[in-house]
Amino acid sequence: MTTSTTEEQQHEEPPHKRKFTFPSALTVLAVVTIAVWALAFLIPAGQYDRNESGAPVQGTYHRVDSGQSFVDRLNDLFLSPVNGLYGIQDEKSGQVGPDLAGELYGSAGVFLFVLAIGAFITVVFATGALDRGIGRLAHRLRDRGALLIAGVMVVFSVLGTVEGFAEETLGFYGLIVPLMLALGYDRMVAVGTIILGAGIGVLCSTVNPFATGVASSAADISLGDGIVLRFVMWVVLTAVTVAYVIRYARRVRRNPERSLTGFLPGDREHASEAAGEVPELTGLHKAVIIATALVFAFMIFSVVPWASALTGDADATPYGFELGWSFPQLAALFLCAAVLVGLVARMGEQKLSATIIQGAADFISPALVIVLARGVTVIMNNSKITDTVLHSIEGIVKGTSSSVFAIIVFLVNLPLAFLIPSTSGHATLAMPILAPLADFAGVSRAVVVTAWQSASGWMNLWVPTTAVTIGGVALAKVGYDKYLRFVWPLLAILFLLICGFVAAGAAMT
């Protein structure tokens, strides 16, 4: 009898199936590494002739012998993460290895820079100054709904465009959701304010080290190249996104029945608690916020090629005050800035040291993603298939106008952004192939960087593989399907604007 009952229960309750979860960026890149290594046996080796600056010369592609045995290829696969970090490219053969003599090919500079800025950001957040500053802004504007939405979104957008502020937004739902409900809005307004506010800043990254910085390094250009175009994009697209969210918010406030999410039990009754007093900013908090702003302002000043930006001439002689800093100097800047902020906040030696170490540890994942992605390009370089892939893509874009070329770069990167949700990994993997294409098309490499980051940022506003989107709608208790319904008209508008900007940027170069 017992056996029969057990069998019936097993029949009625099928075993729970494990829900599919998209693999992490590290896993995706590990699979890509093996796949590229295997494809290198099938793709013929070839090379372009190079000019004095090392750029490929269009029309000079020719087949060559890779000169690699199976053991050599196996060794490249085994050492790909090592080569991705500190591989050295031999000047004569072009091969990359950890024990060769020549120029650094690996991403050691970017790797350390990511850890340094991770330490700095973690120290800033540990002071509580940024959280409380945003909280004070929201509290002061609580009686002016539209201004509150605009203020919070602009702050998030600024943080997104200068330092990739994204995952950090997950900590603000507990404040923004009840505050929006108290003002007569729904939960979708809070979601739009947070996700789209920070997301549009990342999409239009001006000096975001995790997007523009890594891509510029992989494209072998300065972080400041193309900053004028990206800044204009940031202003326009941020204004459009803010207006879109405010328009929906006003519609819901006038007619709550038009809300896409509706209202959960208790939304109206308990929302007034959000109007409570928020602690004032102390002198210490103000000092930390000012120090942080000055650090990012100095970073922008140090990397911008001011002569080129102000004259419009890419070959203009640099002004005497230009620093021309790159990743080694920026890594040192943020390490020093982390210590400076810690001293200003009076953390003490023990806590400051622990926070810096924790910050670097928290950012080891994106740093390793960059290393793995660079390791893939080493495999392609050593097997001499990079130019073959470049040649095949050259045939697709050959004969297109510069504007059409820029739009194609944007479109090509959309599916790549879905497969590789890590902006750093995506940039390191794609730029070595896309950047030389710009030379063939007579387009600035900075436009390719802008088109790439726009594709990555646009996809990350809605794809379910990003923790920012999925985590955000979960914290706000909003259905993902409802969020898609809310955001798709904006996505269409942004799509058209991005195509227009990258086309115009390409046409002007």
Side-chain angles (χ1 to χ4, degrees):
M1 186 71 173
T2 304
T3 304
S4 176
T5 303
T6 303
E7 290 176 353
E8 289 177 3
Q9 290 176 343
Q10 291 177 345
H11 179 74
E12 293 174 0
E13 298 178 8
H16 178 68
K17 293 183 179 180
R18 291 186 62 184
K19 186 179 180 181
F20 173 77
T21 55
F22 199 83
S24 68
L26 289 171
T27 303
V28 169
L29 284 172
V31 173
V32 169
T33 301
I34 296 173
V36 169
W37 179 79
L39 286 172
F41 287 93
L42 305 176
I43 300 174
Q47 283 184 336
Y48 283 94
D49 293 336
R50 253 64 180 178
N51 59 23
E52 294 180 357
S53 63
V57 179
Q58 189 173 14
T60 63
Y61 173 81
H62 55 281
R63 297 286 178 85
V64 296
D65 180 15
S66 70
Q68 281 194 311
S69 65
F70 178 78
V71 174
D72 292 332
R73 292 175 184 265
L74 200 60
N75 187 59
D76 278 346
L77 176 63
F78 178 63
L79 290 177
S80 60
V82 176
N83 284 326
L85 180 61
Y86 63 88
I88 305 297
Q89 186 169 36
D90 183 76
E91 295 179 1
K92 295 182 179 179
S93 67
Q95 293 289 296
V96 177
D99 52 358
L100 299 178
E103 293 186 357
L104 178 66
Y105 188 89
S107 55
V110 183
F111 178 86
L112 180 59
F113 172 61
V114 170
L115 298 186
I117 197 170
F120 172 73
I121 291 172
T122 303
V123 169
V124 170
F125 272 98
T127 66
L130 195 58
D131 303 65
R132 187 173 291 191
I134 295 174
R136 287 299 305 168
L137 173 67
H139 180 73
R140 287 194 175 188
L141 299 177
R142 65 190 183 280
D143 297 324
R144 289 169 282 181
L147 193 57
L148 169 63
I149 294 171
V152 173
M153 290 186 72
V154 169
V155 170
F156 282 176
S157 183
V158 169
L159 293 172
T161 195
V162 299
E163 61 100 341
F165 190 77
E167 286 84 358
E168 296 89 345
T169 59
L170 296 176
F172 288 95
Y173 282 88
L175 170 68
I176 302 299
V177 170
L179 187 58
M180 292 301 175
L181 291 172
L183 295 175
Y185 303 127
D186 66 359
R187 292 172 178 267
M188 189 66 76
V189 175
V191 170
T193 299
I194 299 173
I195 294 180
L196 299 180
I200 202 66
V202 175
L203 188 157
C204 303
S205 295
T206 49
V207 290
N208 172 10
F210 305 108
T212 314
V214 174
S216 297
S217 174
D220 198 25
I221 61 175
S222 165
L223 177 60
D225 287 342
I227 194 171
V228 175
L229 173 64
R230 295 194 295 269
F231 177 76
V232 175
M233 275 186 66
W234 175 76
V235 172
V236 174
L237 269 61
T238 298
V240 169
T241 304
V242 170
Y244 182 85
V245 175
I246 289 177
R247 178 176 176 271
Y248 172 81
R250 285 175 171 168
R251 187 180 69 188
V252 170
R253 196 172 191 178
R254 286 194 303 265
N255 187 0
E257 293 182 358
R258 301 188 67 182
S259 168
L260 294 176
T261 61
F263 296 89
L264 298 177
D267 277 357
R268 299 296 180 88
E269 292 80 2
H270 301 292
S272 58
E273 296 175 3
E277 187 66 27
V278 177
E280 291 281 350
L281 282 173
T282 65
L284 200 69
H285 290 137
K286 293 177 181 178
V288 169
I289 292 175
I290 292 173
T292 302
L294 289 176
V295 168
F296 279 108
F298 183 76
M299 179 189 76
I300 295 171
F301 169 79
S302 68
V303 301
V304 172
W306 291 102
S308 300
L310 296 177
T311 64
D313 181 9
D315 298 320
T317 303
Y319 296 136
F321 63 81
E322 290 187 30
L323 296 178
W325 279 14
S326 189
F327 292 101
Q329 295 87 353
L330 292 178
L333 169 66
F334 281 105
L335 284 174
C336 293
V339 175
L340 174 63
V341 170
L343 293 175
V344 170
R346 302 170 190 169
M347 279 187 168
E349 186 274 333
Q350 293 276 340
K351 183 178 179 181
L352 177 57
S353 298
T355 305
I356 289 176
I357 293 172
Q358 183 61 51
D362 290 343
F363 280 74
I364 194 69
S365 178
L368 287 176
V369 163
I370 294 170
V371 169
L372 285 183
R374 192 62 170 171
V376 175
T377 66
V378 171
I379 291 175
M380 295 177 65
N381 175 83
N382 287 357
S383 58
K384 298 181 179 179
I385 65 170
T386 301
D387 284 3
T388 302
V389 175
L390 177 60
H391 178 64
S392 65
I393 301 178
E394 177 193 353
I396 298 175
V397 300
K398 189 175 182 179
T400 62
S401 66
S402 57
S403 297
V404 173
F405 166 78
I407 294 174
I408 290 175
V409 172
F410 170 65
L411 296 176
V412 164
N413 277 287
L414 292 175
L416 287 177
F418 178 83
L419 293 173
I420 309 175
S422 166
T423 54
S424 303
H426 180 188
T428 309
L429 197 62
M431 277 302 133
I433 293 175
L434 295 177
L437 277 178
D439 302 333
F440 295 164
V443 174
S444 167
R445 291 189 174 196
V447 174
V448 173
V449 170
T450 301
W452 161 81
Q453 72 176 40
S454 298
S456 177
W458 187 85
M459 290 293 286
N460 285 332
L461 288 177
W462 66 273
V463 293
T465 53
T466 61
V468 175
T469 300
I470 291 299
V473 297
L475 287 171
K477 298 180 181 178
V478 168
Y480 177 65
D481 58 328
K482 294 177 181 178
Y483 172 72
L484 291 181
R485 185 181 171 190
F486 163 74
V487 80
W488 79 260
L490 175 64
L491 292 173
I493 295 171
L494 295 177
F495 185 94
L496 295 176
L497 288 174
I498 291 168
C499 288
F501 270 110
V502 297
M508 290 186 294
T509 60

